[in-house]
Structures are given as C-alpha cells and as structure tokens.
C-alpha cells in the first residue's frame, strides 16, 4: 500500500533534485542577487564595515545596515513561515493547492489592517497584528463554512478562498483609491513591500515563529493521520473536526502576523511545499522542514530580483513578483496534478422547467424604468434643470446598460460552452485577459483611438481562453479545474496590473482608475459605439441559438445531428471574447455581471436559448445601471465606480452559489 496519497503528484524520480540541493541552489542565487543589490550602495571593500559597524554619516552604509540587512532577515523569516504554513494547510485540507493566499487568509488580514488604518488616528504594530488576525480568522471561517457543505472538496475550497481573496483585495484597493492621502503607505505595504527601517520586524517575526511553529509541530503526528480519510482518523481515536479547528487557528494566526509585518506575499506557501514534494520529500516532517526552508529561499530570491532590477524599473513590491510567478506556477500545477486529485466541484446541471412567458417583457420594462429614474432623479441636485441632468447623464447610463448587456450575453454563451452555470467572463479570467490586452495597447500608443484598445482586449481575451483550454484539457474540461484555471489567469492579470501601477509610470493612475470600472467619463461617442455593439450582438445572437441548445447536452449528440463541436465552440468563444473585450474597455475587468445575470435569467425558466440570452442581457443591463446609480448616490458627491460596486455584489453572490451547490451534493 502506498505510504501517502500524494505520491502521484511527484513528476518523476530525479536523483539530483533532492530538497537539499534545490535549497542550496536557490539560496546561492538569492544571496548572489542580494550581494549585487548591496554593492549598489557601498563598495566591496566597505561592505563588511557597513554590515557590522556602519558609519552613520554615510548614507550608503547606513542604508545597507539599517534597511537592506533587516530586509534580508525579514525575507528569510517571512518566507520560512509562509512555506511552513502552506505545508500545514495542504496536509490538513488534503489539497495540494491550498495555502494562505488561495484560502483568502492573506487578503482578509490585509483588509482588516486597512480598515484599522483608516478608522484609527495611529496604528501601532501590535494593533495592526490584532486587526490582521481578526480579518484572517474571519476569512478562513467564511471559506471553511462554505467548503464544509461539500465536505471540503478541493475545488469548492479553492474557489471559495480565491473569491474571498478577490473581494477583500478589491475592497482594500478601493479604500486606497478613495483615501489615497491617508492610505498611500498602507497601499504600498499591502502589495508586499519588504522595505525595512530597522530590525524590529525581524525581531517580532522571530519571536512569534519561536512560539507558534513549535506548537504546530506538536500536531505533526495527528496531521499525518489526518492525511488519511476522516473515517480512518476516527478509528485511531482522532477527532478530525477538532484537529482541523485547532491547526487552522494556529496556522491562520501565524499567517496574519506575517501579513501585519510585510503585507500580502502570495503563493510562497503554494510553491515551496510543492517543490519539496517534487524533490521526493514524501513524509509530512520532510515537507514541513523543506517547505519552510525553501519558502525562505524563494522569498529572498524574489526580493533579490527586486533589489537588482530597482535601478532599471524602480522599486516594486516583492509581493507583486511572487504573485506573478505564483499565478504561473498554479497554472502549471493544475496541468500536472492528476485529475483524481481535484474531485468534487461546485457544479450543477441545467434543469428543465415550465417557462415563464412574462419574464423577458417584465425585465425590459423594469430596465427602462430604472433608466428613466437614473436619468431624472435629483435627490442631490434639486437646483438643476431636468433637461440638463438628462443631457449630462445619458452617456453614462447608456454605456452602463450596454456593457452590462454585453457581459451578460458573453456569460450566457460561456456557461453553455463550459456546461457549467457558474462560468463567467470574470470567473474564467476572460475579463482579466481582455484588461491586460487593453493595458498593453494603451502602453503601445493606443490612447488616441478606441480601435487599438478594443483589438488588444480581444487578443487578450482569446489568449486567456487559450491558456484555460490548454490547462483544462488535462482534466477533460471538468468544470472545477476550468474555474480554477480561470481564477489563476485572473490572479496573473491582477499581478501584472499591480506591477504596472507600482512602476511609477504616469499612465498608471489612469489604469488603476479604469480597472475600478468608472462610467462618469463616458462620452456621447463612447455611449453610441457601446450601444451599437450591444445591439449588433443581440441581433447576431439568434444565429448561435442551436449551438447553445445542443452543446450542453454533450459532443455525442452534437455529432449525431451534424454539428462540429470544435468549430461551434471556437465561434462561440470568439464571439464571447469580442463582447467581453468591448465591455471591459468600458467598465474595467472587475464586474461579475457575466455570472449573475445569466444565472438569474435561468432561475426565471426562459423559453429556450434565445429567450435566455435576451433575458440575460436585459438583467445585465439592469444590474449595471443600478450599480451606476448607487455608485453615484451612495457617497455623494464622491463616486464609487460601477464596475467595482457590481463586483462587490457579485462576489457574495458567487459564494452563495458555491454554498448552495455544496449543500445539494451532500
């Protein structure tokens, strides 16, 4: 009998790639990069003096001793803690992709610390730690509460964690955007900056690790037993629920304390234990040891890259680098992990029911009523003539409605192609890919014409879909891995956007504001073009009705009626990518309209695919117009961007869907 269920995860036996050798190689590279970074500030003959007995009158020596040296120590300590905790999470939850960032722990702690910084006049390090612990525990409680309904199925757990992480991270960015003068330093810290001013963070992390890591080591043997199934653990006198609660609490507290000191550094806890496992660290003690050591080496290596490249691209947060590399690593791991490991998913089937014939007309009437109200309401502008209000507001209202309709239509098509009602342009990373393509086009000189950003968005959306298809093909396009691949693509795009914003480029502020999905900048030309694209897409949608009706029933039936499934999917994906790119160009990549609107339309039991697409478009337009009006009125005279407000509604909606599907599977 195999000693561990994780045995299939090792790619192959490699005598050279032992954990010790890989660790030494990573440390040598990291130390070499850090050494090169130190030499930017002091000469080689003065380096030892700067490290041990600095001359405080010399900026270079003082900076090396009081900033760079503690920075190296903090990178080693924080990386070790994150790698160790990642191995704990993966063993406890029996999930090779579990770690503090994918479970929402780091983002929950970041959001709580940001709130504390905004509400308190001054926040001490201890208060920041306390706030981080509370936020992290709240996040993991929400994630585990949702995942427990499906008995902690790997896909359900990860989807819950990454949606919670997305929601908390978006909230932190929005607060930083609206309170930039108060939260500028918090925003930089939250991106995972390792810049230090003294040894206080290194000393604090050392003390906390000396207490919490030995306590967690007491659970090594019970955790080894928990790596089996729950029934086997109970037969040995172990309570899986109590063990899970105690270890989750301790590991979450340690993760939150790391966040409180250095901000969000994602994916170290994912990569380090995985590398240890690939290097034949089979047993849990081996994975804990080498996962922690490799975590320290990997974070130091990432920070060394930041230090050596600072003279070229400027100082960027180290957490941005780890998120970028980590998202790529997650895509590769999804490709490598055997399909049997990712069993269980928040999946549901289409269910036939008696149609409701009045839903589509009612949706259109309600959409028109909301549009009329949004155009003419004067709760905060009673002294302005109605004609002036309508003249100033119609471009943003029409733009919002058009973007919502396009996202909803794209979502309905993607759900049919993926055979999963939880698929959406945002959840599959298509909106993020379109956003990245738009940003690339803007940097290549496309700000003067809307054609180049639109083309860039379409290319980016298609590239994201191509990556997802490549990864999901290994799992026969099972809904769970497809959604996880989409989330990983979204995380990759978010890290690239963060890198652009952190680079200091003058266009970064515009890009950050655009990603929030503002509609107040919409002009009459933009509104007319958006409406024309939306109307044209609705007129073309009946051409795809037969494909959308047959594809969810399986390829065998499609072939039996003379349909080519690959050609149909390619055409539908191209159409949905074009719609997503156009909508993303208008309202940014954050909205979850593409998930909510088709699902709400399906709950109304429309008559066939054509009615489903029209009803989805009407509901999507309605939701985006409501988001635009609420964002305009909630904090008047300030505005909350419509795209991010829709995302705040969509994330809880996604969590509720996962919760309900998990309940049905029990």
């Amino acid at each position: 009998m195999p000693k561990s269920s994780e045995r299939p995860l090792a790619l192959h036996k490699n005598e050279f790639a032992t954990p010790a050798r890989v660790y030494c190689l990573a440390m040598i590279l990291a130390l070499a990069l850090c050494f090169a970074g130190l030499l930017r500030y002091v000469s080689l003959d003065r380096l030892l003096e700067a490290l041990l007995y600095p001359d405080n009158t010399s900026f270079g020596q003082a900076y090396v001793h009081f900033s760079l040296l503690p920075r190296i120590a903090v990178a080693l300590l924080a990386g070790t803690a994150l790698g160790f905790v990642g191995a704990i999470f993966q063993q406890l939850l029996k999930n090779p992709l579990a770690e503090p960032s994918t479970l929402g722990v780091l983002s929950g702690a970041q959001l709580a610390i940001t709130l504390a910084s905004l509400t308190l006049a001054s926040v001490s390090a201890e208060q920041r730690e306390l706030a981080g612990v509370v936020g992290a525990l709240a996040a993991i409680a929400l994630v585990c509460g949702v995942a427990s309904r499906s008995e902690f199925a790997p896909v359900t757990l990860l989807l819950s964690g990454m949606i919670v992480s997305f929601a908390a991270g978006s909230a932190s960015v929005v607060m930083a955007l609206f309170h930039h003068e108060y939260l500028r330093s918090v925003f930089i810290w939250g991106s995972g900056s390792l810049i230090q001013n003294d040894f206080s963070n290194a000393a604090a992390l050392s003390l906390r690790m000396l207490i919490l890591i030995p306590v967690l080591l007491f659970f090594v043997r019970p955790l080894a037993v928990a790596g089996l199934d729950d029934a086997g653990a109970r037969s040995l006198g172990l309570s899986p629920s109590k063990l899970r609660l105690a270890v989750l609490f301790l590991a979450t507290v340690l993760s939150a304390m790391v966040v409180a000191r250095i901000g969000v550094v994602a994916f170290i806890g994912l990569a380090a234990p995985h590398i240890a496992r690939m290097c034949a660290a089979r047993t849990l003690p081996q994975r804990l040891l080498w996962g922690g050591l490799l975590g320290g080496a990997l974070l130091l290596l990432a920070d060394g890259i930041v230090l050596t490249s600072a003279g070229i691209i400027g100082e960027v947060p180290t957490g941005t680098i780890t998120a970028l590399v980590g998202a790529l690593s997650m895509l590769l791991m999804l490709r490598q992990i055997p399909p049997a490991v990712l069993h269980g998913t928040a999946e549901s089937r289409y269910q036939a029911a008696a149609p409701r014939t009045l839903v589509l007309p009612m949706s259109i009437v309600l959409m028109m009523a909301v549009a009329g109200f949004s155009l003419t309401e004067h709760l905060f502008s009673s002294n302005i003539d109605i004609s002036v209000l309508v003249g100033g507001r119609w471009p943003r209202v029409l733009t919002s409605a058009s973007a919502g309709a396009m996202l909803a239509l794209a979502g309905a098509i993607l759900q049919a192609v993926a055979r999963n009602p939880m698929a959406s342009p945002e959840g599959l990373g298509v909106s993020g890919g379109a956003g990245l393509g738009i940003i690339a086009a803007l940097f290549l000189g496309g700000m003067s014409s809307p054609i180049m950003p639109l083309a860039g968005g379409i290319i980016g959306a298609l590239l994201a879909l191509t990556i997802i298809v490549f990864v999901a093909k290994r799992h026969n396009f099972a809904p769970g891995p497809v959604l996880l691949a989409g989330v990983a693509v979204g995380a990759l795009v978010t890290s690239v956007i963060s890198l652009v914003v952190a680079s200091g480029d003058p266009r970064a502020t515009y890009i950050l504001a655009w990603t929030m999905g503002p509609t107040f900048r919409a002009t009459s030309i933009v509104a007319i073009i958006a409406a024309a694209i939306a109307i044209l897409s609705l007129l073309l949608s009946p051409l795809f009705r037969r494909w959308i009706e047959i594809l969810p029933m399986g390829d065998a039936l499609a072939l039996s009626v003379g349909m080519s499934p690959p050609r149909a999917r390619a055409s539908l994906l191209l159409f949905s990518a074009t719609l997503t790119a156009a909508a993303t160009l208008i309202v940014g990549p954050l909205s979850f309209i593409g998930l909510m609107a088709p699902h709400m339309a399906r709950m109304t039991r429309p008559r066939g695919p054509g009615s489903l697409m029209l009803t989805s478009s009407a509901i999507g337009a309605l939701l985006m117009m409501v988001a635009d009006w609420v964002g305009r009125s909630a904090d008047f005279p300030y505005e909350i961007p419509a795209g991010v407000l829709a995302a705040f509604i969509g994330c809880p909606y996604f969590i509720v869907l996962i919760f309900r599907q998990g309940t049905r599977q029990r």
Side-chain angles (χ1 to χ4, degrees):
M1 181 177 178
K3 183 178 291 186
S4 170
S5 60
E6 287 115 348
R7 188 180 183 89
L9 294 179
L11 297 180
H12 57 270
K13 187 175 181 180
N14 191 327
E15 295 295 337
F16 177 79
T18 63
R21 289 173 177 171
V22 172
Y23 169 73
C24 290
L25 178 61
M27 279 298 296
I28 290 171
L29 290 175
L31 291 175
L33 290 173
C34 291
F35 183 75
L38 294 176
L39 293 181
R40 292 181 57 234
Y41 299 95
V42 295
S43 59
L44 181 60
D45 59 326
R46 296 284 185 179
L47 181 59
L48 184 60
E49 178 184 350
L51 294 175
L52 300 178
Y53 309 105
D55 180 5
N56 292 335
T57 62
S58 169
F59 170 78
Q61 292 195 29
Y63 186 73
V64 166
H65 184 83
F66 294 105
S67 182
L68 297 186
L69 189 58
R71 179 171 178 161
I72 293 172
V74 165
L76 287 171
L77 291 168
T80 300
L82 292 173
F84 180 85
V85 168
I88 291 283
F89 277 127
Q90 291 173 17
Q91 176 71 16
L92 181 67
L93 300 173
K94 291 175 280 190
N95 190 333
L97 297 179
E99 67 117 359
S101 63
T102 58
L103 296 178
V105 172
L106 301 187
S107 295
Q110 178 194 16
L111 177 59
I113 294 171
T114 304
L115 284 170
S117 301
L118 187 61
T119 55
L120 300 177
S122 62
V123 182
S124 64
E126 290 72 20
Q127 290 174 322
R128 196 166 58 205
E129 276 188 335
L130 178 61
V133 168
V134 171
L137 290 175
I140 197 66
L142 176 59
V143 170
C144 290
V146 173
S148 64
R149 310 298 290 185
S150 61
E151 297 180 353
F152 294 93
V155 171
T156 303
L157 183 72
L158 292 171
L159 282 176
S160 303
M162 300 194 81
I163 292 300
V164 168
S165 179
F166 174 81
S170 298
S172 299
V173 171
V174 169
M175 284 189 290
L177 186 64
F178 281 100
H179 303 277
H180 187 266
E181 64 278 14
Y182 301 109
L183 297 177
R184 183 176 182 275
S185 60
V186 176
F187 181 73
I188 295 173
W189 155 83
S191 300
S193 175
L194 297 186
I195 296 175
Q196 304 294 309
N197 295 321
D198 52 34
F199 286 89
S200 59
N201 284 331
L205 282 175
S206 300
L207 177 62
R208 285 144 182 78
M209 290 170 64
L210 285 173
I211 296 173
L212 290 173
I213 288 181
V215 174
L216 283 167
L217 289 175
F218 278 114
F219 293 91
V220 168
R221 296 194 67 180
L223 281 172
V225 176
L228 307 173
D229 57 86
D230 287 358
R234 292 190 189 96
S235 68
L236 297 175
L238 184 66
S239 172
S241 58
K242 292 181 180 179
L243 173 66
R244 190 176 289 123
L245 182 63
V247 176
L248 276 177
F249 176 80
L250 293 170
T252 300
V253 168
L254 180 56
S255 304
M257 289 179 172
V258 173
V259 173
R261 297 291 169 174
I262 65 169
V264 175
V265 177
F267 293 109
I268 292 294
L270 173 68
H274 185 69
I275 293 173
R277 187 183 291 109
M278 291 176 62
C279 296
R282 304 288 187 183
T283 66
L284 177 60
Q286 289 176 340
R287 291 197 299 273
L288 291 175
L289 171 64
W290 292 112
L293 292 176
L294 285 168
L298 290 176
L299 185 52
L300 185 62
L301 178 61
D303 199 47
I305 294 173
V306 170
L307 287 174
T308 53
S309 61
I312 303 173
I313 63 173
E315 183 82 28
V316 299
T318 306
T320 302
I321 303 297
T322 62
L324 179 63
V325 177
L328 290 171
S329 301
M330 186 173 177
L331 288 171
L332 293 176
M333 290 172 64
L334 281 170
R335 178 75 180 173
Q336 296 167 0
I337 291 174
V341 176
L342 292 178
H343 66 281
T345 178
E347 173 189 4
S348 62
R349 298 291 182 187
Y350 296 94
Q351 297 180 353
R356 298 174 181 172
T357 56
L358 295 179
V359 170
L360 179 58
M362 289 176 60
S363 300
I364 295 174
V365 170
L366 187 58
M367 179 185 67
M368 296 175 64
V370 170
F373 173 77
S374 182
L375 286 170
T376 59
E377 67 86 12
H378 51 276
L379 298 175
F380 305 101
S381 52
S382 56
N383 296 326
I384 301 179
D385 187 77
I386 292 295
S387 61
V388 176
L389 287 177
V390 173
R393 288 178 180 173
W394 76 262
R396 63 183 298 171
V397 173
L398 183 58
T399 300
S400 301
S402 302
M406 286 187 282
L407 284 173
L409 182 57
I413 292 172
L414 287 175
Q415 289 173 10
V417 173
R419 287 181 279 181
N420 185 358
M422 293 184 64
S424 70
E426 304 88 353
L428 293 182
V430 183
S431 292
L436 189 58
I438 291 169
I439 290 174
L442 293 176
F443 271 83
L444 291 175
M447 301 183 73
S448 58
S449 170
I451 302 300
M452 190 170 178
L454 180 60
I458 295 173
I459 293 172
L462 289 174
L463 182 60
L465 284 170
T466 302
I467 294 173
I468 292 167
V469 169
F470 174 75
V471 173
K473 187 176 181 180
R474 165 83 164 117
H475 298 270
N476 295 321
F477 298 96
V482 168
L483 288 174
L484 285 180
V487 171
V489 170
L492 174 64
V493 172
T494 301
S495 63
V496 172
I497 292 174
S498 299
L499 186 63
V500 171
V501 172
S503 67
D505 190 281
R507 293 164 289 190
T509 303
Y510 172 81
I511 290 172
L512 179 60
W514 163 76
T515 58
M516 298 294 104
T519 54
F520 56 82
R521 296 179 180 176
T523 63
S524 57
I525 298 299
V526 171
I528 292 172
I529 293 175
I533 295 175
I535 293 172
L536 180 62
S537 64
L538 289 173
L539 292 176
L540 292 175
S541 61
L543 300 176
F544 307 115
R545 183 176 58 186
R546 183 167 177 267
W547 291 349
I548 293 175
E549 185 175 12
I550 296 176
L551 280 178
M553 300 180 185
D555 289 359
L557 179 61
L559 290 170
S560 68
V561 298
M563 181 190 299
S564 172
R567 184 180 303 170
R569 287 196 185 94
S571 301
L572 289 173
L573 290 177
L574 177 61
F575 185 58
S576 62
T578 303
L579 293 176
T580 302
T584 302
L585 182 60
I586 298 169
V587 295
L590 292 178
S591 164
F592 270 83
I593 298 297
L595 170 72
M596 293 186 291
H599 190 267
M600 291 178 178
R602 192 171 293 107
M603 291 170 62
T604 65
R605 303 195 293 269
R607 286 182 177 274
S611 179
L612 172 63
M613 289 187 288
L614 290 175
T615 306
S616 299
S617 299
I619 294 176
L622 175 64
L623 290 175
M624 190 58 81
M625 283 191 296
V626 170
D628 177 65
W629 175 74
V630 173
R632 187 177 70 232
S633 306
D635 193 24
F636 186 85
Y638 305 101
E639 290 206 23
I640 302 174
V644 75
L645 188 61
F648 285 152
I649 300 171
C651 286
Y653 191 84
F654 206 160
I655 290 293
V656 170
L657 286 183
I658 296 173
F659 182 83
R660 292 177 59 188
Q661 297 303 328
T663 302
R664 291 173 185 171
Q665 290 179 351
R666 295 188 66 177

